Amino acid sequence: MSRFAEPQAAAFQALNSSVGFDQRLWPQDLRGSRAHAAMLGARGIISEEERDALLGGLASIEAELDAGEFAFLPDDEDVHMAVERRLTALVGPVGGKLHTARSRNDQVATDVALFSKETALQLRAQVTELMQTLVALAEQHLDVPLPGYTHLQRAQPIYLSHHLLAYVWMLERDRQRLTFAAQQADRLPLGAGALAGVNFDTDRQMVAGELGFAGVVPNSVDAVSNRDFVLDLLHAAAVCATHLSRLGSELVIWSSQEFGFVVLADRWTSGSSIMPQKKNPDAAELLRGKAPRVVAHGAALHGVLHALPLTYNKDMQEDKEHLFDAVDTLALCLAAAQGMLDGAAFNTERMAAAASDDLIAATDLADLLVKRGVPFRECHGIVAGLVRAAVESGRGLGELSDAELAAQSPHLDPSVRAVFERSSWLESKVSEGGTSLPRVREQLELVRALLA
Amino acid sequence: MSRFAEPQAAAFQALNSSVGFDQRLWPQDLRGSRAHAAMLGARGIISEEERDALLGGLASIEAELDAGEFAFLPDDEDVHMAVERRLTALVGPVGGKLHTARSRNDQVATDVALFSKETALQLRAQVTELMQTLVALAEQHLDVPLPGYTHLQRAQPIYLSHHLLAYVWMLERDRQRLTFAAQQADRLPLGAGALAGVNFDTDRQMVAGELGFAGVVPNSVDAVSNRDFVLDLLHAAAVCATHLSRLGSELVIWSSQEFGFVVLADRWTSGSSIMPQKKNPDAAELLRGKAPRVVAHGAALHGVLHALPLTYNKDMQEDKEHLFDAVDTLALCLAAAQGMLDGAAFNTERMAAAASDDLIAATDLADLLVKRGVPFRECHGIVAGLVRAAVESGRGLGELSDAELAAQSPHLDPSVRAVFERSSWLESKVSEGGTSLPRVREQLELVRALLA
Amino acid sequence: MSRFAEPQAAAFQALNSSVGFDQRLWPQDLRGSRAHAAMLGARGIISEEERDALLGGLASIEAELDAGEFAFLPDDEDVHMAVERRLTALVGPVGGKLHTARSRNDQVATDVALFSKETALQLRAQVTELMQTLVALAEQHLDVPLPGYTHLQRAQPIYLSHHLLAYVWMLERDRQRLTFAAQQADRLPLGAGALAGVNFDTDRQMVAGELGFAGVVPNSVDAVSNRDFVLDLLHAAAVCATHLSRLGSELVIWSSQEFGFVVLADRWTSGSSIMPQKKNPDAAELLRGKAPRVVAHGAALHGVLHALPLTYNKDMQEDKEHLFDAVDTLALCLAAAQGMLDGAAFNTERMAAAASDDLIAATDLADLLVKRGVPFRECHGIVAGLVRAAVESGRGLGELSDAELAAQSPHLDPSVRAVFERSSWLESKVSEGGTSLPRVREQLELVRALLA
Amino acid sequence: MSRFAEPQAAAFQALNSSVGFDQRLWPQDLRGSRAHAAMLGARGIISEEERDALLGGLASIEAELDAGEFAFLPDDEDVHMAVERRLTALVGPVGGKLHTARSRNDQVATDVALFSKETALQLRAQVTELMQTLVALAEQHLDVPLPGYTHLQRAQPIYLSHHLLAYVWMLERDRQRLTFAAQQADRLPLGAGALAGVNFDTDRQMVAGELGFAGVVPNSVDAVSNRDFVLDLLHAAAVCATHLSRLGSELVIWSSQEFGFVVLADRWTSGSSIMPQKKNPDAAELLRGKAPRVVAHGAALHGVLHALPLTYNKDMQEDKEHLFDAVDTLALCLAAAQGMLDGAAFNTERMAAAASDDLIAATDLADLLVKRGVPFRECHGIVAGLVRAAVESGRGLGELSDAELAAQSPHLDPSVRAVFERSSWLESKVSEGGTSLPRVREQLELVRALLA
């Protein structure tokens, strides 16, 4: 019997049904149902025989799902109803006892929390692998100079290892963010019922323990209204995707003919349907192009929750597709970043040549004057004049004559030419966190400790 | 032969391949290829026999696709390569001549433009149907009063017809927006080649004519770089979805027990897994919950195109999933809005009772004093004092005594009580576009003319 | 001297200058400069006299800024240059020594990190105050029943205290998020120089200690490229703003004439320019309307950082306005939420009346049958039939006759009528986290401990 | 008198007041009030003397505002109340008659519509100027070759004029979008009153005529609920900003030392506080960095309107800041784009050198074989093999020996070497819209006609 006098309209089902995408949650749904049935039995809410019948039926369903033999039907509104339908078919009317003392509202929140926590930790593991790849590359390219850029203008030379380690620290923060997201998903919603708690003296701590949650959500209204943990995971995914978009952008720029700093492996590039010479960094471009998608999923879920009265509203069904696509996209991107870097060949000669542009020495020249007692701002002006003289005459700084140096400032005597020795530029960056080799080696120690 | 020494990595293919979603473009892709082949033949770039062989092969492929018998293979990078692969299998090496004088860059832009234009017009037709449903409802409920709300506070009574027609005007603007989007997609990109034009004296006007485009994109670089028409369609979809979210929100509020203004048909509602009494307006909630998703797709595509150097970059492959999901979502929502409204039963008694709250007469009372020569701002103050007296004593305005009226202002003599006659409130709104019946009938004439 | 041969174009300055908004960072900028000067002196990079001159000048500038007497000039590109200009005016050429061993790239990152950390902690304190307000309200309305809603349909009765505490838990998570954001901003960027570290043996730990940072950023490239901590703060602000939008939405709905659950204080509402009777919940509406703004700032900053090559790029100047407006908006909203709730009068009679709708007992009735051994799913069907009979005849469940009960199921003997006693509905929700009073009291203990 | 028993809380005013930003609408507000007063007089709703008094007062206020002498007061909630307050101070109680037959709801909608329409047309004029600048540049660099890039890889050479004209077509679409937005704002809301129309027989057509609107909004509920025209303007602004971000990105890349295609004027660049050699393309970077901000304003306003019940809700006050900042930002960016391009010096030698990379001839070589009857796909493979041989041996295609050519395919006899003549590559792109000079000249004719 139903309180409804007519079946649902087909157009309504097309909009309303979630089984097309939430069937993905079946592992979480079954785990949750098993823990719930065990608890109902333990508390005497159902008998031990009933519990065993339910657990047996759930085990059969799991086997069917594992084997790809479970048939989701058009009338299954969602994964929960599909499982319950099959359960009742397998074990008879006792299947109807599984839903005692719970509601789909707390059930789906539990499924999504389990999924979010597990996925956050899986992504964290992928991030760790990418960090390891970067560390290995840094170790291989410890002392390869390239220009550091600001505003995409050559600024100061750095070691490639130092540049690559910058990404390691970005990813380390991504790990912290993913850990935070996993923690936010680590409270059991189940037991909240529809919204008010249930009419049975359940044992939520037992269920939490079986499912590996650190505790229970302490308020039943909040338990079914809350999707913050999804927002947190989407945020973590978005920041990581934005990081990867920066990496992708650099790989695209570096693999242009004009930069020529990196050659991607053939297996990580593709050709053109019309231009036989092309070798395109598609994966690097997609690292860029996928980030806005992940960010947009987070913004969309904020939009879904915006102004939504408590407690459960159907709008919240929208959480899942945003979540699934975001984490799948990030997982693909992390794998691509790692694969691309693994196969990348850095053209260290091109890099070193670019890094030896002696305009880059300008800051060092200014700093030399500082050490001779000239205020920094004044040094900056002196050297800026020198740069202008060099640029306007199409020469490097080192090509200016002694007279030209002296014309800018009496401080610029011939002894300053020592600063044009390239090897000094990088090693002079002795400050903590700087690019000099001892400092990079310190960083590597820190990073290895993090990853140990 | 290929310029690549190794096959693509599986993780690269997983990220890079688009055939999983762009196969949906096969009708557009085949139409484009047929027009291209015909043109190559007409210009003598290929022979008539070759052209006929290509057209024959394409017809066979179309039959296979129509019948659901075409097998997309894992190695098919995209729909274009899948079709070309099958074509060559069917007609032999001449299949390789189809790609003469074109590139995937202009081919995919053409497919997406065709799809965008067609979809914009289909959505426009759906919007028109929803307008017709609303007009029919307005005609059925021409003189049913309900409170108009500002700030969700009862403000002034209006007719339900007038309220429903407000949505018709919103949708009329959606039609204009969809028309604009269709026009923006109405220029042929094909013929631009990879980016620079092609080495053959092609006839782009002929291809445009066969495909129903209003003209050709006049710059080959722009032709392959441009996705503005997708942004325009996503914008049109987003505004329409936001309109529907407002409708959904009103249906949710109106079907609450507290408002009780509308009862949705059983076929457009769903029950609760735990609470047998529940009848939930899920479809109306999803009209709300889907709008941020459509908006986010537009924001994401802006993100994809952000700072992208000309011309084609792989990032642009991201256009399709954002587009497809947005238009599919809107199509579902339009169908749901129409179905829900078709089956909605308005509780005109509840509406009328709410509209007869005599605090609503306050503006009319003030306006009456205006007509007696009191400046509006002063009238507002007088009536506000009256309202305060009524509210503080828990009575309606009409329940205040003559003495209480006079205590607020000498202008409030007993003759003002006429304004508490409810029937006067609505019909006094005589201004153009107002809620009085003659004005609503004028509107209906305008709307019928639009839809004729 | 400058390397530039012409002054900046006015239109360039209009776009490029940030002093109009970054002058707000002067307290952070001065603190950073003082710590830097002290360190330069301690390391002998400048003399003690020079250090003292710089510190004296900075103290004078702080006094001017505190007094509102500091004149920012049109040519001051940013707050850093304004301070340095004034410093040199005050102390002479030695002012130019302050910029030794630093760059605006690490300087601005430091200013923004200091601001972010401080602001995160201030917002956290505001959130705590709002939690306290809610707890006090919960204590005052411990046993006031109202309907809990799902889908904005009456579902099960709960206590107002329980509902209010749901917001407390949401806000508790906001505190965790703000704490995380503060921690992410808790590493010193200063000392990274332009990007590569500096040519001086600086003491970054000393500077970090003086400024209250927990440590230093370990990679100079990352130090000047990173704005993750701003993204984290914007995320924390966005989730909190979304929470407040839900509160605002409920206050708007509850203060409608139809619900009538709450009357906002006059000092927290506004009137209409035309309708004298209106009392509008503007502040509650703005809690809704401001959330998308905060969310959008986060999405925008992701957009800014999207695909940005390392290290500093001018695009990053955009971080500040997004950050400032987001935190200012949230601070206003938190204050408004607290003020509105402080002055809200709950209409407990209206709430209780709505909560006594006996359709709400349907779940309890089903659960009673469960306790008599009927599988839950079967019970659901029995009671659904009963609900349909009641709704179709316009009666409550309790008004059905014994015969009508028995007609649905033999399990429905007259003894089940006990479940229609309203007081039982709430107290039966005995599960952990449920709405029964002992469970609410448990929650209050937990919350008080959090806030202690 | 007011219905409120206590003044507004300071924290409420801080959140609620809009006068801080909506005062910018005073020109529109005064124009609207003048037209309204004139109509009230013409219809006899007020006397001619009253009308003249109001018009006199409004003229005085306009003079004060023009002179910067109008004092907005802390208690002025918005620009409308500020004007009315001052009007009454100037002309006495008759000032209170101005608000007859209107409400702030229709008043503010009118102000914003006027502002939107005017601003859309102003931005359109700025876009036209930028188009003219680009056309002039194209004419100056008609036959300068540079590589066209796909995936930021050199693909096929094009003329700089052709590349610049691609931007002209993008901007032409921006003009169409701005025109559409102006049309959407071209209906008069005024006369809708609070929401239902007004109690007076007003003449909305007269007001529309005076204010330059093309017509009136035909439904009073829609008139005060609608902000679609703001969404349309934000969309137009967002697409244009995204276009400018692509231009900015190209200018950044082109001004890198590695590309060296363009040198920006000193007046459009800035230096570094620490690196004396730096000349940074800040304005180009900000073209990138500002686009996400404009896009986010549109997404935010969708969020504001999301699920908002009709009619006016306070949330809609949020329309203004999003609108103002978006159009101001775009105006700055358009001016910057124009200024930067005006002062840009293209390094045509670097461009031409890059364009003469003979791998770029690969497509032409394949097309030559096509013309000899080989299917394109087969040609592609032959030339790809050639490319591989060249790349692996570090040579250009033209440097391969006759034997090496023949080893790939018998079709590659020595006569194919003609295709390595660079001048042929560009002029062979003869198709409509291609880069050959006759085709570019055709484009220039089209563009000049558009701008005439």
Side-chain angles (χ1 to χ4, degrees), chain A residues 254-287:
Chain A
W254 288 9
S255 58
S256 69
Q257 282 84 352
E258 286 74 12
F259 275 77
F261 284 2
V262 72
V263 177
L264 298 177
D266 283 1
R267 68 183 179 280
W268 275 96
T269 56
S270 62
S272 158
S273 72
I274 179 170
M275 295 171 286
Q277 85 281 13
K278 291 300 293 296
K279 177 176 168 179
N280 294 324
D282 294 53
E285 294 168 270
L286 287 169
L287 288 193

Side-chain angles (χ1 to χ4, degrees), chain D residues 417-432:
Chain D
R417 289 191 181 277
V419 93
F420 300 130
E421 299 298 320
R422 284 156 206 172
S423 58
S424 74
W425 302 343
L426 288 118
E427 288 308 312
S428 68
K429 300 298 179 294
V430 296
S431 57
E432 188 179 1

Side-chain angles (χ1 to χ4, degrees), chain C residues 48-100:
Chain C
E48 296 198 356
E49 295 71 29
E50 289 168 335
R51 178 198 60 199
D52 293 343
L54 292 174
L55 292 177
L58 290 169
S60 301
I61 290 171
E62 180 166 30
E64 291 176 8
L65 281 158
D66 261 336
E69 291 166 357
F70 186 96
F72 288 97
L73 303 184
D75 273 0
D76 290 334
E77 186 180 332
D78 52 38
V79 65
H80 324 299
M81 298 310 268
V83 167
E84 187 177 320
R85 170 190 52 76
R86 181 69 183 141
L87 182 63
T88 304
L90 287 172
V91 304
V94 69
K97 296 211 166 185
L98 178 62
H99 211 56
T100 308

Side-chain angles (χ1 to χ4, degrees), chain B residues 35-56:
Chain B
H36 185 65
M39 183 277 289
L40 291 178
R43 300 295 274 197
I45 299 171
I46 59 176
S47 71
E48 296 197 357
E49 294 72 29
E50 289 168 335
R51 176 198 61 198
D52 294 343
L54 292 174
L55 291 177

